[in-house]
Amino acid sequence: MTIRVLVADDQSMVRAGFRMLLAGEEDIEVVAEASNGKEAVDKAARFDPTVVLMDIRMPELDGLEATRRILAADPDARVLVLTTFDLDEYVYEALRAGASGFLLKDVPEEQLVAAIRVVAAGGSLFAPTVTRRLIEEFARRARPPERPPELGELTPREVEVLGLVARGLSNAEIAAQLVVSEHTTKTHVASVLSKLGLRNRVQAVVLAYETGLVKPGA
């Protein structure tokens, strides 16, 4: 199936650059562009893109609020945040809102294309050298909220898996560390997300830090 992409960025040359880059991919099609957050929300509803490439700082409506509105209207929407700022509070809030991940705008072209495919397939993707630092920074600043009661529904093994997910381990790495199959790990991760009412692994990482399950710098 063709991956339908909506590019939301207030700079026309950036949008044109993304369109030119993705034009060479047989399985990806840019179906719409938006120059501000309000337009992004409107066109997401009109064109039903598989993935929204979302800039954060845009006029009229920033990328954060646009992400919230798009996901509120369609919980299955996939938003990949692109930013020039590697420590941006807005990015953190976008992850909390349920964005499927974020990348810096200066990532190599092949990484951006790969990220679009990962997100379109239902996965989560975020720049590990940036995201952990970002989450830890704002976890230090924020007053930890009370742990949601849903955490009590997790089995000891599921709590362990959540902690490893929060530390950035892949399913294969978690399976190796726990000496279980990758299939078993996937089952545990799916159960954790379901019990906690989370959209993806990104939200699981944020929750683990915010609730103190994983300590910044650990």
Side-chain angles (χ1 to χ4, degrees), residues 163-184:
L164 295 174
V165 168
R167 289 182 172 88
L169 273 66
S170 66
N171 284 347
E173 291 168 333
I174 294 173
Q177 181 156 330
L178 298 182
V179 195
V180 297
S181 70
E182 192 168 345
H183 174 75
T184 297

Side-chain angles (χ1 to χ4, degrees), residues 2-3 5 18-30 109-114 116-117:
T2 299
I3 299 171
V5 174
F18 284 142
R19 181 179 284 277
M20 289 179 61
L21 167 64
L22 299 177
E25 305 299 323
E26 294 183 358
D27 60 333
I28 299 176
E29 177 188 3
V30 176
E109 294 178 358
E110 62 273 13
Q111 287 188 25
L112 174 60
V113 174
I116 291 173
R117 292 190 176 113

Side-chain angles (χ1 to χ4, degrees), residues 154-169:
L154 302 184
T155 67
R157 176 47 62 92
E158 288 171 344
V159 171
E160 190 175 11
V161 168
L162 175 57
L164 295 174
V165 168
R167 289 182 172 88
L169 273 66

Side-chain angles (χ1 to χ4, degrees), residues 88-194:
D88 190 330
E89 185 173 4
Y90 289 112
V91 176
Y92 179 74
E93 292 299 332
L95 297 180
R96 292 187 67 193
S100 295
F102 85 92
L103 291 175
L104 298 181
K105 285 185 177 179
D106 61 359
V107 296
E109 294 178 358
E110 62 273 13
Q111 287 188 25
L112 174 60
V113 174
I116 291 173
R117 292 190 176 113
V118 168
V119 170
S124 301
L125 189 145
F126 46 99
T129 58
V130 173
T131 303
R132 179 167 178 170
R133 198 167 75 242
L134 178 124
I135 291 172
E136 290 185 358
E137 174 68 18
F138 290 99
R140 285 191 183 98
R141 296 184 185 183
R143 181 178 179 182
E146 294 184 5
R147 290 197 176 193
E150 291 81 7
L151 274 179
E153 298 180 10
L154 302 184
T155 67
R157 176 47 62 92
E158 288 171 344
V159 171
E160 190 175 11
V161 168
L162 175 57
L164 295 174
V165 168
R167 289 182 172 88
L169 273 66
S170 66
N171 284 347
E173 291 168 333
I174 294 173
Q177 181 156 330
L178 298 182
V179 195
V180 297
S181 70
E182 192 168 345
H183 174 75
T184 297
T185 299
K186 289 180 180 179
T187 300
H188 284 317
V189 172
S191 179
V192 168
L193 297 181
S194 176

Side-chain angles (χ1 to χ4, degrees), residues 27-45:
D27 60 333
I28 299 176
E29 177 188 3
V30 176
V31 296
E33 297 179 13
S35 60
N36 59 63
K38 184 178 183 301
E39 191 177 359
V41 174
D42 293 341
K43 290 193 173 180

Side-chain angles (χ1 to χ4, degrees), residues 44-67:
R46 189 190 317 170
F47 291 94
D48 190 26
T50 315
V51 176
V52 179
L53 293 183
M54 182 72 75
D55 185 27
I56 287 293
R57 299 187 176 182
M58 293 187 293
E60 293 195 36
L61 197 67
D62 65 27
L64 171 59
E65 183 59 29
T67 295

